[in-house]
Amino acid sequence: EAIKPLNKGALFRMLLYSHRIAGSKRKLTTRFSKLSEILIEANVWAEMEGSEQITEEHIRKAYLKKQYRNNQLEEKIREMYKAGRILFETKGKRIGRIHGLSILADGEHVFGKPSVITATTFMGSKGVVNIEREVDLSGSIHDKGVMILEGYMNEKFAQEHPLNFTAKICFEQSYGGVDGDSASCAELYALLSSLSGIPLKQNIAVTGSINQKGEVQPVGGINEKIEGFFHFCEYCHGLQDQGVIIPEQNIEDLVLCDSVIKAVEAKKFHIYPISKIDEGMEILTEKTFEQVCQAVREKLSRYAAAEKLIENYQNPDTDSEKK
């Protein structure tokens, strides 16, 4: 392509871009066409400036310009968040409400966006109800994630008596399909918050899947998810003290943009890696996990006692025979 030589900074920037496409700091991409696109455009910027070499700034400029040409959908969604048409809070605490992180693809442009996840709990015996599944908007992997969540709840809180509660979990203002299990951590936190009555910080978003033992598992698209929440916070409310909770195993996949790195260094944005569900709950509530679990047990005990009273009232003869 008769491209000018790259200086050391430009080569460094291209290697970072290659890692990012590969989705790992341990791998480089072989999708050379994507690398060529950046190099050809960077070469044009170098020629326009009369530079004999392609510099790091030329590579960065070519990459950002390419993103700008393809991110119209992302900008439209950001505008909706800022205008308040999509509910989005990054201050205070709320019970049973949390931000999950998802990714959207618009042609070649892939970006992350926060999604509000809510959980409501009340007396009953239906267990965890996935509202998306009830209306045929949930994929099989998301269904599996909710069932795993329910398995964790039963092992954790149903050793002495069956769980007597109904919970409904929902992706608010989501009108398309939902799939993947990367929101299962966030869904569990919202559920535990609703049952315990302990509020969650709204300035921290969560991604990660769980297994039935409460261990946090890695997810895909981690860079896009972190940057998505970062850019939405920056655009809508300004950076203050926001952050994301991610699986510990995803640390080696982080190849973040300069603005996120600078904000982390300035302590305006935080990244919390965790390996167990307990750690994330303590970050979100500033209480020990045992305090949260104790509040959940007390609520479930009240539900069980009330259920027993109702049963005795409805079946008085059976109750007198037992006595």
Side-chain angles (χ1 to χ4, degrees), residues 106-299:
D106 180 26
E108 287 191 5
H109 186 64
V110 179
F111 63 97
K113 66 177 283 290
S115 300
V116 174
I117 298 172
T118 59
T120 56
T121 52
F122 42 92
M123 288 179 59
S125 57
K126 291 184 178 180
V128 181
V129 177
N130 174 13
I131 290 179
E132 265 69 34
R133 183 181 182 183
E134 298 297 303
V135 294
D136 295 325
L137 287 177
S138 180
S140 57
I141 298 176
H142 182 237
D143 290 341
K144 179 183 177 182
V146 175
M147 293 177 73
I148 289 171
L149 181 159
E150 191 168 19
Y152 170 83
M153 289 291 295
N154 277 281
E155 182 174 71
K156 187 75 178 176
F157 300 107
Q159 295 298 318
E160 297 180 3
H161 53 75
L163 289 183
N164 291 302
F165 82 100
T166 297
K168 292 197 173 185
I169 294 177
C170 178
F171 275 71
E172 300 293 352
Q173 293 185 278
S174 173
Y175 308 107
V178 175
D179 204 3
D181 61 354
S182 64
S184 54
C185 277
E187 290 170 330
L188 178 57
Y189 291 139
L191 176 58
L192 291 173
S193 171
S194 180
L195 281 170
S196 66
I198 296 173
L200 303 172
K201 293 179 180 178
Q202 297 300 292
N203 63 326
I204 298 177
V206 178
T207 186
S209 69
I210 60 166
N211 62 26
Q212 293 190 102
K213 301 300 181 180
E215 296 167 326
V216 178
Q217 302 168 145
V219 296
I222 192 68
N223 293 298
E224 290 81 6
K225 288 175 179 177
I226 293 173
E227 291 174 0
F229 186 65
F230 173 85
H231 290 310
F232 275 83
C233 290
E234 185 180 43
Y235 182 78
C236 297
H237 301 136
L239 290 178
Q240 295 156 356
D241 192 33
Q242 295 94 344
V244 292
I245 293 174
I246 68 168
E248 188 176 59
Q249 302 94 321
N250 279 125
I251 290 176
E252 68 175 34
D253 301 328
L254 297 182
V255 189
L256 297 165
C257 66
D258 295 341
S259 54
V260 174
I261 293 172
K262 288 177 182 177
V264 170
E265 290 173 347
K267 298 184 178 180
K268 292 183 177 181
F269 193 78
H270 309 275
I271 298 174
Y272 305 95
I274 63 169
S275 59
K276 293 184 179 180
I277 207 73
D278 317 24
E279 301 167 40
M281 199 65 187
E282 291 178 356
I283 293 168
L284 289 163
T285 62
E286 296 183 336
K287 294 184 180 295
T288 66
F289 189 62
E290 184 51 41
Q291 285 177 308
V292 176
C293 289
Q294 184 58 35
V296 171
R297 293 188 193 100
E298 290 172 2
K299 174 69 73 66

Side-chain angles (χ1 to χ4, degrees), residues 79-97:
E79 289 172 6
M80 292 175 70
Y81 275 83
K82 189 168 186 178
R85 296 179 67 184
I86 299 177
L87 300 182
F88 181 54
E89 297 178 20
T90 58
K91 293 181 181 179
K93 297 181 179 181
R94 294 281 295 274
I95 294 174
R97 185 185 190 278

Side-chain angles (χ1 to χ4, degrees), residues 297-315:
R297 293 188 193 100
E298 290 172 2
K299 174 69 73 66
L300 292 174
S301 294
R302 292 198 295 272
Y303 282 172
E307 195 76 28
K308 187 66 177 176
L309 285 173
I310 293 170
E311 183 182 341
N312 290 341
Y313 178 77
Q314 292 175 339
N315 302 285

Side-chain angles (χ1 to χ4, degrees), residues 24-82:
S24 171
K25 288 191 288 192
R26 296 177 179 270
K27 296 180 180 180
L28 294 170
T29 186
T30 55
R31 299 172 70 182
F32 301 121
S33 60
K34 285 189 170 292
L35 300 179
S36 297
E37 289 175 2
I38 298 298
L39 284 170
I40 291 168
E41 186 166 343
N43 189 63
V44 172
W45 289 114
E47 287 181 350
M48 290 174 66
E49 293 180 9
S51 174
E52 294 182 359
Q53 290 184 323
I54 296 174
T55 67
E56 182 176 359
E57 186 57 36
H58 295 142
I59 298 294
R60 184 189 287 111
K61 192 172 184 178
Y63 177 69
L64 292 176
K65 291 291 184 181
K66 182 183 177 183
Q67 280 192 315
Y68 176 74
R69 290 192 298 269
N70 290 286
N71 73 345
Q72 185 177 25
L73 176 61
E74 183 179 7
E75 286 190 353
K76 292 293 183 185
I77 293 175
R78 282 186 201 171
E79 289 172 6
M80 292 175 70
Y81 275 83
K82 189 168 186 178

